[in-house]
Amino acid sequence: MAMLWKFMRVAKYSKTALAPKVKVRGIPTHSRHSSSKSVPSDFAANTPCSNTVELLGKAYPQDDYSNVTEKILSKVGKNLHNKKHHPLWLIKEQVKDHFYKQYIGRRGTPLFSVYDGLSPVVTVQQNFDSLLIPQNHASRRKEDNYYLNRDHMLRAHTSAHQWDLIRSGLDAFLAVGDVYRRDTIDNTHYPVFHQMEGVRLFSCHELFSNIKGGEGLQLFEQGHRTAHKQECHTMEAVRLVEFNLKQVLTKLMTHIFGDGLQVRWVDCYFPFTHPSFEMEINFQGEWMEVLGCGVMEQQLVNS
């Protein structure tokens, strides 16, 4: 059973997402720490001919879906979140430090591993299909995304890497990176921004071990989907995961913004989590959304 969160749309706006938990077995020591390889911007992209885009050392044939511009291509590979002392790097390091200190695995090493060097070029399958986003969903539109061609695009969210990281055997990780959406530029939007998200997967033992009488509780059941749970999850499991998720994120926001935060949770919808929530904090008398999160769809984990 998994939970997901995403937060920080950082550049001119902040949005974060936290993801479900995954199980880690035999992870090399170096994978527990972030590995950053920035690609020089002058190498990031060029178009040697009109029907091919060369990006990060690979050539992508253009077709009727290709709509990425030279201006956007020039941003790819800057990796601002990995440039030491850049504001994005400072925020990333602050979040990493919090998770490394607060959540320790059984062997005394950090529970969450960090991935901040994943390629921003992903397949359409990674960006949409792996997250159960329907073929006719509005988020797939060419007007909202940067496509290299029908099969490849610049990631629209760090969630594009979730399925691959879970499949590799991870059960707790943070993913950080630059993401791209065709937004109109204003004081809260820019076509290139940054996200960080986390995922944690729970086993039955991990979820119920500290609960009195927990040995008789189960993660799964043959039930019905309601506004509060998926059909395959027990209500006890969902309540515990939801409590853990909100507690983790409230502690993180307090770590970033300081004590005395006014926080509220708003029910919302994401294709890949249910139930789903947005966290808002009171900033200068107004409620501001800072992250989205939820219990990962079990179908996504099972796949």
Side-chain angles (χ1 to χ4, degrees):
M1 189 171 179
M3 66 180 183
L4 161 80
W5 46 262
K6 184 179 299 181
F7 86 105
M8 286 175 18
R9 174 168 181 152
V10 183
K12 296 199 173 183
Y13 174 71
S14 294
K15 185 170 183 178
T16 309
L18 178 65
K21 171 178 177 179
V22 191
K23 215 149 193 177
V24 185
R25 289 199 180 98
I27 299 177
T29 303
H30 67 268
S31 71
R32 281 289 180 185
H33 305 281
S34 61
S35 56
S36 309
K37 292 186 178 180
S38 298
V39 181
S41 57
D42 58 354
F43 175 72
N46 62 73
T47 52
C49 59
S50 60
N51 61 352
T52 302
V53 175
E54 197 168 298
L55 183 61
L56 302 177
K58 294 184 180 180
Y60 299 90
Q62 297 190 67
D63 56 26
D64 60 326
Y65 252 64
S66 305
N67 66 354
V68 64
T69 65
E70 287 290 336
K71 184 68 173 179
I72 294 300
L73 289 173
S74 70
K75 308 291 186 183
V76 179
K78 289 186 178 296
N79 295 331
L80 300 180
H81 59 289
N82 288 332
K83 292 189 182 300
K84 198 169 184 180
H85 304 308
H86 188 281
L88 293 171
W89 179 86
L90 292 171
I91 295 174
K92 181 191 74 173
E93 292 300 308
Q94 190 176 12
V95 175
K96 278 173 51 182
D97 182 66
H98 173 75
F99 274 89
Y100 281 173
K101 290 178 179 176
Q102 289 291 319
Y103 306 100
I104 306 299
R106 285 173 294 182
R107 299 183 179 180
T109 56
L111 179 65
F112 285 83
S113 50
V114 177
Y115 296 87
D116 59 5
L118 300 169
S119 174
V121 179
V122 298
T123 64
V124 172
Q125 193 277 336
Q126 287 174 302
N127 199 80
F128 296 121
D129 299 334
S130 71
L131 295 170
L132 310 178
I133 298 174
Q135 289 288 335
N136 60 350
H137 198 274
S139 64
R140 292 177 179 255
R141 297 187 310 170
K142 288 174 63 177
E143 292 79 10
D144 295 330
N145 300 283
Y146 289 106
Y147 286 92
L148 298 176
N149 52 42
R150 282 184 171 269
D151 298 320
H152 295 86
M153 63 187 296
L154 297 178
R155 63 187 170 208
H157 44 202
T158 48
S159 303
H161 304 290
Q162 258 182 47
W163 193 90
D164 292 317
L165 291 172
I166 293 174
R167 186 172 182 268
S168 72
L170 295 174
D171 64 356
F173 60 84
L174 305 177
V176 194
D178 44 324
V179 298
Y180 302 80
R181 295 182 192 170
R182 297 185 67 182
D183 283 337
T184 300
I185 298 175
D186 59 26
N187 64 342
T188 60
H189 295 84
Y190 192 74
V192 186
F193 56 100
H194 290 73
Q195 282 185 341
M196 172 180 282
E197 75 178 62
V199 171
R200 186 173 182 186
L201 299 181
F202 287 98
S203 67
C204 193
H205 172 73
E206 289 169 317
L207 197 57
F208 299 130
S209 60
N210 294 323
I211 304 298
K212 186 176 181 180
E215 61 277 0
L217 299 176
Q218 299 294 323
L219 291 177
F220 304 108
E221 68 176 8
Q222 296 283 335
H224 301 282
R225 178 172 289 239
T226 71
H228 305 290
K229 62 181 281 299
Q230 297 173 40
E231 56 272 25
C232 57
H233 293 160
T234 64
M235 184 57 74
E236 295 85 1
V238 171
R239 290 304 188 200
L240 284 172
V241 168
E242 180 182 330
F243 174 78
N244 183 283
L245 174 62
K246 291 179 176 179
Q247 186 182 55
V248 166
L249 293 175
T250 301
K251 285 182 178 179
L252 175 61
M253 291 300 109
T254 300
H255 174 71
I256 293 175
F257 296 112
D259 295 326
L261 277 185
Q262 281 185 275
V263 172
R264 72 179 184 184
W265 296 94
V266 180
D267 293 338
C268 65
Y269 166 78
F270 300 117
F272 37 86
T273 58
H274 181 77
S276 304
F277 314 97
E278 289 177 344
M279 176 198 269
E280 296 180 350
I281 62 173
N282 194 292
F283 178 69
Q284 296 182 349
E286 295 186 7
W287 289 101
M288 180 177 70
E289 176 201 341
V290 291
L291 63 87
C293 62
V295 179
M296 186 180 285
E297 286 283 354
Q298 192 62 40
Q299 181 185 343
L300 194 158
V301 182
N302 293 345
S303 69

